[in-house]
Amino acid sequence: MYTKIFCGLLLGSLLLFSVLSCKQTPTTGNDPTNVNDSSVVQSRIPTVDWAKNATIYEINIRQFSPEGTFKAVETQLTRLKELGVDILWFMPIHPISKENQRTLPGNPYAVEDYKAVNPDYGTLADFKALVKQAHDLGMHVIIDWVPNHTGRAHTWVKQHPDWYTQINGKMSPPIDDQGKVTDRPDVFDLNYKNPELRSAMMDAMQFWVRECDIDGYRCEVAGYVPDDFWSEVRPKLDSIKTVFMLAEWEDKPEHFKECFNMNYSWSTYQLMKLIAKGKRPASALDSLLAHNKERFPRGYYQMQFTQNHDENAWVGTPTELFGNGVDAFTVLAFTFDGMPLVYNGMESNLNKRLKFYEKDPIYWGNYSKTDFYKTLLTLKHRNRALWNGLAGGSLIKIPTEKDDKVYAFYRQQENDRVIVIVNLSPTPQTIRLNGDGFEGVYTEVFSRQPAELRNSLTFALKPWEYKVYTN
């Protein structure tokens, strides 16, 4: 939601990676040399067992079907289950405030009522039925939550004006971490210094867990909400059922000990875009991994992605961002350290920017990329090396003598092992695998051909070619 508005420089990452990271707060915590960060502690946040090898799929309800309804999504659940989806993340399901909207039906992140559903999508009963069907299929549901601000026509605006940030006696648009008022004409900033606001927000978040049996939240701009709110709301949610929490933020390692199970890997995403354009070497991924290991608590994991609703709407389609290397970077993201995200439409090779404020349905075609994604997600489920957090295996680099262009690694958990070799360049590369620990006989998951890998093995890669081996 804030890609165009709150795109800040990650200072340390700028120096090390030349990476612009959106939705982030400029902090010294991004400096990879700052390895004694006191926030790096073992997370004590409750976890759910079903997330250990889970994948996540984002649904833009408005654009998901011509109908744009909960019921239309429900008809696709079996297909998504077969694709390999475990967690369904729904963009905001709430009524949209129409005041000061640039166009209608408007911005879904301008919430009018936290305890109601958007009538364009259906009824509360329809949403409950959707959640139940997802659960019956073995999937889980999280919904987008917008805690930092509301739409200007939210019920609280007239009833509780003191729940909002006031500047010169007037309610203010959201304020960034530098204290600057942002250009957001359709929303007002919430005042977390008011205990009544905090209580009401926690009550609203408990409502959906209690009444609709959802499994957690994806929290919009989580870093703009005070940390102590997250530490207070988490046990209240867990008192109903243990939830799964995703933060749309990266620069607060303390989130992992206060509330969240996973955050966005903005740095990986931004770095991949730079590598795709030839502006950074593939070996920069090593520095990023080392940096994350130092700043985040043991067992952390992040959401890895090449698309989401913001990037698609405001920045570009996968092809615009990664060119002919889009599949190579998807393979990297889906086998890297973390949980992979599929944005709706990617399994049909989504090639347009979906409009953010208007109705603009996905063209599904023949689901041409289904086999590609199903192969990656099935491997994620079956091979413990790719599982999330402590359940999976650490990423270990395999030197190739062409590390500026080719990224190779293996991950292992007990007897399960995966080897990934990706040419992240538009030119052919001849490489030599060096080191040990990865030798053995494998099956390449896309070609399904057997292969023996060993130290000093040499072979050629076509431009943007990728190999994924499993034992």
Side-chain angles (χ1 to χ4, degrees):
M1 185 61 211
Y2 282 78
T3 301
K4 297 182 74 176
I5 302 164
F6 295 127
C7 192
L9 289 176
L10 294 179
L11 298 182
S13 295
L14 178 63
L15 295 173
L16 184 62
F17 313 120
S18 297
V19 176
L20 277 175
S21 183
C22 296
K23 304 180 192 188
Q24 298 306 306
T25 309
T27 66
T28 56
N30 268 351
D31 183 354
T33 63
N34 184 17
V35 299
N36 295 317
D37 188 341
S38 61
S39 65
V40 180
V41 297
Q42 178 67 47
S43 177
R44 297 183 297 273
I45 296 301
T47 59
V48 286
D49 186 66
W50 48 260
K52 66 186 178 185
N53 64 340
T55 64
I56 187 168
Y57 185 98
E58 181 184 4
I59 295 180
N60 183 334
I61 302 169
R62 178 188 293 164
Q63 318 299 22
F64 192 76
S65 66
E67 301 86 352
T69 62
F70 296 133
K71 288 184 177 180
V73 173
E74 190 172 345
T75 65
Q76 296 293 315
L77 291 185
T78 298
R79 177 183 70 80
L80 295 177
K81 176 66 176 179
E82 292 173 351
L83 182 66
V85 173
D86 302 297
I87 302 173
L88 299 167
W89 153 25
F90 292 103
M91 285 175 63
I93 63 172
H94 311 294
I96 297 172
S97 167
K98 300 299 191 292
E99 185 174 336
N100 279 24
Q101 290 288 351
R102 63 184 70 182
T103 186
L104 296 176
N107 173 14
Y109 291 84
V111 175
E112 185 175 81
D113 186 343
Y114 284 116
K115 288 188 176 182
V117 298
N118 187 333
D120 292 344
Y121 302 160
T123 66
L124 184 62
D126 293 337
F127 180 68
K128 289 181 178 180
L130 174 59
V131 174
K132 184 180 185 305
Q133 178 65 14
H135 287 169
D136 289 346
L137 289 169
M139 294 188 285
H140 296 83
V141 174
I142 67 174
I143 65 174
D144 233 317
W145 197 256
V146 191
N148 180 64
H149 51 268
T150 74
R152 294 194 173 207
H154 193 286
T155 54
W156 291 349
V157 171
K158 290 184 178 180
Q159 296 173 1
H160 305 287
D162 57 324
W163 291 6
Y164 291 85
T165 301
Q166 306 269 346
I167 297 179
N168 297 325
K170 295 182 179 180
M171 295 183 191
S172 170
I175 299 171
D176 67 21
D177 279 4
Q178 305 305 304
K180 296 180 180 179
V181 177
T182 61
D183 181 20
R184 293 291 310 282
D186 57 346
V187 292
F188 286 134
D189 192 69
L190 287 166
N191 175 19
Y192 275 83
K193 295 179 181 179
N194 189 309
E196 293 181 353
L197 176 275
R198 286 174 172 249
S199 179
M201 186 64 71
M202 286 186 276
D203 175 68
M205 294 182 75
Q206 287 178 290
F207 171 86
W208 294 96
V209 180
R210 183 179 60 250
E211 299 298 325
C212 297
D213 198 26
I214 68 164
D215 301 292
Y217 291 98
R218 176 266 189 190
C219 296
E220 171 84 350
V221 289
Y224 286 154
V225 175
D227 294 345
D228 59 0
F229 172 80
W230 296 123
S231 61
E232 186 177 1
V233 75
R234 179 65 198 246
K236 291 183 180 295
L237 298 174
D238 288 336
S239 68
I240 304 170
K241 64 186 292 188
T242 303
V243 293
F244 182 83
M245 300 292 286
L246 165 61
E248 190 214 17
W249 209 256
E250 183 171 20
D251 279 354
K252 287 198 170 185
E254 57 269 26
H255 276 169
F256 282 113
K257 66 178 181 178
E258 290 162 344
C259 181
F260 294 98
N261 302 101
M262 182 168 74
N263 70 7
Y264 271 52
S265 187
W266 286 110
S267 293
T268 307
Y269 166 71
Q270 301 290 359
L271 180 56
M272 288 193 300
K273 288 196 299 181
L274 291 172
I275 294 172
K277 291 176 172 58
K279 296 181 179 180
R280 295 293 290 152
S283 56
L285 290 161
D286 297 329
S287 300
L288 180 58
L289 279 171
H291 174 37
N292 286 344
K293 185 176 180 180
E294 295 293 347
R295 65 172 172 159
F296 293 132
R298 182 173 176 267
Y300 84 97
Y301 53 95
Q302 298 185 286
M303 186 177 73
Q304 302 291 353
F305 56 94
T306 57
Q307 278 276 276
N308 60 45
H309 64 275
D310 276 322
E311 299 306 297
N312 174 264
W314 306 119
V315 184
T317 66
T319 302
E320 287 180 285
L321 300 177
F322 298 100
N324 293 330
V326 59
D327 284 354
F329 283 97
T330 300
V331 167
L332 177 65
F334 278 48
T335 56
F336 209 62
D337 195 9
M339 182 188 294
L341 167 72
V342 182
Y343 180 54
N344 53 196
M346 290 175 69
E347 68 269 41
S348 283
N349 201 25
L350 181 66
N351 62 359
K352 72 171 182 177
R353 301 188 189 191
L354 300 175
K355 295 178 181 178
F356 197 84
Y357 296 95
E358 303 171 44
K359 179 69 176 169
D360 186 21
I362 296 167
Y363 172 72
W364 289 101
N366 61 359
Y367 304 98
S368 60
K369 301 291 288 188
T370 290
D371 288 345
F372 174 73
Y373 284 102
K374 188 173 183 178
T375 296
L376 289 169
L377 300 186
T378 299
L379 181 65
K380 174 80 174 185
H381 289 150
R382 294 180 177 176
N383 195 304
R384 291 171 293 176
L386 295 185
W387 288 10
N388 302 317
L390 295 175
S394 298
L395 190 152
I396 301 174
K397 178 71 175 287
I398 301 175
T400 67
E401 300 179 2
K402 293 291 182 67
D403 290 350
D404 61 329
K405 304 294 185 183
V406 176
Y407 200 74
F409 64 90
Y410 74 92
R411 297 177 63 187
Q412 181 166 345
Q413 181 65 285
E414 298 182 7
N415 294 324
D416 285 1
R417 187 185 300 156
V418 169
I419 295 178
V420 180
I421 304 169
V422 189
N423 182 4
L424 298 178
S425 78
T427 56
Q429 301 295 330
T430 299
I431 65 169
R432 183 192 305 273
L433 302 181
N434 294 309
D436 54 26
F438 61 85
E439 302 92 337
V441 177
Y442 301 89
T443 299
E444 205 284 318
V445 300
F446 292 101
S447 67
R448 301 183 182 177
Q449 295 298 310
E452 181 179 0
L453 302 181
R454 63 186 184 277
N455 182 38
S456 297
L457 178 68
T458 300
F459 59 93
L461 293 170
K462 299 174 183 177
W464 307 116
E465 188 174 7
Y466 49 85
K467 301 286 186 181
V468 180
Y469 301 94
T470 178
N471 65 348

